[in-house]
Amino acid sequence: MPLLAMLLAGCGAGDATQQGAQSGSRQLAVSTSVAAAAAAVAPGTIRMHFHRVENDAAQWGVYSWDGPQTPSSAWITDRFLFSGTDAFGGYVDIPLAAGKTSISFLVTDGYGTKNCAADQNVRLNGDIATRGQEIWMLEGDCATYDAAPALTYGNLGNASAYWLSAATLAWPGAATSGSYKLFYASNGGLNANAGGVTGADGSVDLRIGTLPEAIRQKFPHLTGATGLSLSAKDAAAVAQLASSQFAIAQYDSAGNLMKITSLQSAGMLDDVFAARAVNAQLGVTFNAAGVPTFRVWAPTAKSVALNVYANATAGATATVPMTRDAASGVWSYTAPNNAWTNKAYYTYTVNVLSRWADNKVVANTVTDPYSLSVSANSTRSFVANLDSAALKPFGWDVQTIPALAHPTDIALYELHIRDFSASDSTVPAAHRGKYLAFTDTRSDGMRHLKSLAKAGMTHVHLLPSFDFASVDEAKCSVPSIPNAGPDSSAQQAAVAAVQDSDCFNWGYDPVHYNTPEGSYATDAGDGAVRVREFREMVQGLHDADLRVTMDVVYNHTSQSQQGPLSVLDRIVPTYYYRLNPNGGILNDSCCADTAQETTMMGKLMIDSVSMWAKQYKVDSFRFDIMGLSPLDLIKRLQADVNKAAGRDIYLYGEAWNFGAVANDARFVQARQANMYGTGIGSFNDRMRDSVRGGGCCDNGDALFTQQGFINGVWYDPNGKASQTRDDALRLADMVRVALSGTLRDYRFLDRTGAVKSNAEIDYFGQKAGFAANPAETINYIEAHDNQTLFDIDAFRLPQTTSLADRVRVQNLGTAINLLAQGIPFTHAGQEILRSKSLDRDSYNAGDWFNRLDYSYASNNFGVGLPLQNTNGDNWPIMAPLLANPLIKPDSRAIVQARDVFEDFLAIRKDTTLFRLRTAQDVNERLKFYNVGPNQVPGLVVMGIDGSQPRSYAGNEFARVVVLFNVDKTAKTFAIPELKGKKLALHSIQRRGSDDVVKSSSYDRTSGSFSVPARTAAVFVQND
């Protein structure tokens, strides 16, 4: 999902908002006014003032990409330096481009250190062209001021220093001269003025020095920071002071206060408490008699109380204090008996000092981060004993999980729970859009899934099904959509009017990681119901011979700080989130980024996935934006989850490389380049982009000009593209990379005539090949993100392309996806030409644009212009497409696409040659023909040997040869080395639903293959 964060990074920024600077900020004043002494500002110019405590503003500058007459051309090196000086500090005059209404910028030093981690923007005055404009900025403050503000010693709402272990601190950019002190105040109230730090209960002296090597290894982004340390005696006292407010102060050599800041203390909490808490059983657990014990990790809390409620809405029947374990920071309480089990609800009241609450002590009543179930809209945790019969459907413990011999046998079907049945009239009304729809075995949807399973689909990948924030579980609405034209804006207006109160959302906004989502249950208010019904869904899919994959989102939460649905941050403030250099929460994912590198967030992930695998019999997990996770954590998680489940659990995820952690800046990431040899799958954007054309996020003209391998690059130009023969060959080579499992070391003759490994093939500046074995690549050409394949083809194919040819193009994409080495991933509806009426981001576009129709009456194309807020810029180019009668398929075309999809799926299932296990297997057996600079464009020919160097287990055939002819014309291609071989069209295609492919032929005497236009033909050799 969250490809938006990747786009934001293009501005040279990190997170979209700077929370730390504005939440709980307190300006610590030095003086009330500062007189300026500089020449008047020239018309059409903005003067930016910047004050640094150490008076080194001249080393800093403004990087601005939008607003100046001459925008900055290169990050860091091309800045507008604060070369002028006045009584306030440094300043720079920036001439502005005519007509600009704002300027976007970052203030940074020569090393890329940002004064504010977020992009900044200032509105320009209406008279700036004649009078100019001035703004003022302070060190460590993301605000901009229209008049010179009081100078400060710092902002204790920010945290620019780091507490990395009990004895070690770091302060990037701080001087190595002078002296430092660590101050603490039990109940908050620290402040500073010209006389020094006030409000403290005490302080300890810090020693200046270099950071220990072990610390630098653990925190590589702080390697160059100034190191500070506590004495052994002071470090030993840290645990007793942990609930206090802390601040670090810098003094010059004369003992004058220079600046002060709060601290980012996750490292210290890990060192002092988490190492002893990591093996604790958190949440609610039960003894043999069903008596619950409640445990929550809150090392900085002053007290924690357990509140118990008889039901989801009643007032508290009991409030009892919990007991703190001093060594681990875990608070616990054991109930007197089992009366609360599977009946009562609970919350915790945590008294804790929070930087998000202006560094004051707050009483936060909050649900359990380890909640196993909750009341409607996540207001109370439910005392759920998952081992009890009351929370299990009939036959739960003895059900049969479909067998799986090897990960490369997996075929994934990505499905949204509500999409599956919301519009299916063959599902009982009470089950539509719910977990229980998967138990209605005779519905259109379940018949469709069972047919796919019979053909070779193995796993249903469910979009987020944990507890999420974006749907009101108690009273969501269903909009009334007007009957309007295919290119009308009326439908989207009706959807938009209720899009934040309707029953649809993808659900990538977690609240409770261990709880089933309530909007998919028939009674969200009863904590037992969602547990039982989720299990019924899993059991129903297993009974249909399908394994279950959960889409999990541990990289962010829906809310943080003191938000009403903030859970983690109201128990251990700031600990669970990844912070920017000023102490604000990063939003690289889209929302509040969790700090999975911390011990207890990592533990939460491992415990959560283990619970789903063991208690809900989930078979596989897909990790949203896995690249934001530490590789070591994902590897440990794999081992622990397999142990918990008692079987192998397949993991895969989005191993994208971006954000504050990019290129292993803070830890070794679980990104594509690092996943080699792990056995964990990464989504294969190489296949996606080569087959579809362009990139994930094309917009405007690029939707037309970047034709892909199957939809016309060079061989069928659409009138707007100007691609060359070399572009066609380049994309063909990338398809070969994908067909060979995107293995790093597989080699073939590329379009330049050189034998190269997949890693030596260029993919937008990256190495195309990244996998160590086929199970490490998730091949896809369509997913919930971005346009469907049918919709992207609507842009890229010539507008006069017939419906029959559009279906054939879709089938070509299917063939490449399903017959490539690796694990194929299919977006639900891809097999039936699914459309979202050209929507590129339907996460909140309602049932209307996300409709799935398993009756095959419609593919949902031309149901109106998609939502304006995400697609409005492209409406002028979308409207003619939606109105084009040649594009919208009829039921016959939809069924034809489904049948061909199942044919290719069955061919994959029929032989292990399309499911090779190892890189050695691929290197020894897979070969491409029609390669090099003289190849026939538009034709990829792949051979796989089933008999040499030895007979391959499950091969069924001595050889398979696949010809992917994407051109508009038939092709004949000879392979001399196959002369005399007995090859014939695969029997599934000979008797299948595609009459065109049946005319494909092979001439044994010449080794020549003939394949119709826009056809993928599979030939097999039986002897």
Side-chain angles (χ1 to χ4, degrees), residues 6 97 251 382 389 423-424 483 614 633 842 918:
M6 301 173 71
Y251 297 84
F382 181 62
S423 62
D424 190 344
N483 183 12
K614 179 181 179 180
L633 172 62
S842 67
T918 69

Side-chain angles (χ1 to χ4, degrees), residues 868-879:
Q868 185 175 22
N869 58 355
T870 49
N871 301 275
D873 290 348
N874 291 318
W875 274 9
I877 61 176
M878 289 175 166

Side-chain angles (χ1 to χ4, degrees), residues 247-259:
I248 186 172
Q250 175 191 353
Y251 297 84
D252 64 17
S253 57
N256 298 309
L257 178 63
M258 296 293 292
K259 59 182 176 180

Side-chain angles (χ1 to χ4, degrees), residues 402-404 409-414 448-461 541 544-547 817-818 823-831 901-902 904-906 908-909:
L404 182 71
D409 293 338
I410 293 172
L412 297 160
Y413 188 75
E414 184 195 39
H448 184 86
L449 289 185
K450 285 186 281 188
S451 182
L452 291 178
K454 182 179 179 181
M457 196 66 72
T458 65
H459 287 59
V460 170
H461 162 148
L541 287 167
D545 204 28
L546 289 160
R547 286 187 163 217
N817 193 32
L818 294 180
I823 295 173
F825 173 102
T826 300
H827 179 223
Q830 178 182 322
E831 75 282 11
F901 180 92
E902 290 191 350
F904 282 120
L905 192 58
R908 181 180 189 270
K909 181 182 179 182

Side-chain angles (χ1 to χ4, degrees), residues 39 58 191 199 307 353 357 369 459 506 571 672 677 718 758 773 876 889 913 946:
N191 210 323
N307 311 301
L353 191 145
H459 287 59
W506 282 348
I571 296 174
Q672 276 179 342
N718 57 25
N758 286 343
N773 64 68
L913 297 182

Side-chain angles (χ1 to χ4, degrees), residues 269-313:
L269 294 177
D270 276 348
D271 183 39
V272 175
F273 297 104
R276 298 162 183 84
V278 71
N279 294 319
Q281 287 186 288
L282 298 179
V284 60
T285 59
F286 301 85
N287 67 13
V291 177
T293 294
F294 305 83
R295 297 183 186 89
V296 61
W297 187 67
T300 63
K302 296 183 177 297
S303 66
V304 181
L306 172 70
N307 311 301
V308 181
Y309 313 86
N311 56 50
T313 58

Side-chain angles (χ1 to χ4, degrees), residues 412-416 419-420 448-449 452 461 782-784 788 825-832 834-836 850-852 854:
L412 297 160
Y413 188 75
E414 184 195 39
L415 180 63
H416 185 274
D419 287 354
F420 175 66
H448 184 86
L449 289 185
L452 291 178
H461 162 148
E782 177 178 324
H784 66 274
T788 67
F825 173 102
T826 300
H827 179 223
Q830 178 182 322
E831 75 282 11
I832 49 175
R834 184 179 187 177
S835 170
K836 297 181 182 180
N850 287 283
R851 188 172 186 263
L852 260 178
Y854 288 123

